[in-house]
Amino acid sequence: CSNMRVCKLSKEEAEQFYDVHRGKPFYDNLTNFMSSGRICALELVAPGAIKKWRDLIGPTDSNKV
């Protein structure tokens, strides 16, 4: 069983997913990019899965350590 799938977000789905960033300078570019082609969606299933994933991949800003 795979917890990953390839799909395509509509512009509206991307806007809904990234709504927390609405109004920020990068929002339009982000939602345009994320709805421009296929994405690889992951289903994270574990207690504390989001924190574990963020710890694994590091900070959003790659200039931070």
Side-chain angles (χ1 to χ4, degrees):
C1 174
S2 173
N3 291 337
M4 177 177 68
R5 79 180 186 141
V6 176
C7 56
K8 185 173 188 311
L9 292 176
S10 68
K11 176 70 169 164
E12 294 76 23
E13 290 169 326
E15 288 173 343
Q16 183 180 7
F17 188 81
Y18 290 104
D19 192 60
V20 68
H21 298 298
R22 188 179 301 272
K24 295 180 182 174
F26 58 84
Y27 178 77
D28 286 332
N29 286 339
L30 173 63
T31 56
N32 286 334
F33 176 74
M34 292 305 294
S35 61
S36 68
R38 295 185 298 167
I39 64 164
C40 179
L42 299 174
E43 179 183 6
L44 304 175
V45 182
I50 294 173
K51 181 175 180 342
K52 290 176 184 178
W53 182 253
R54 289 186 175 165
D55 289 345
L56 177 68
I57 63 174
T60 303
D61 183 346
S62 61
N63 292 317
K64 294 182 182 176
V65 176

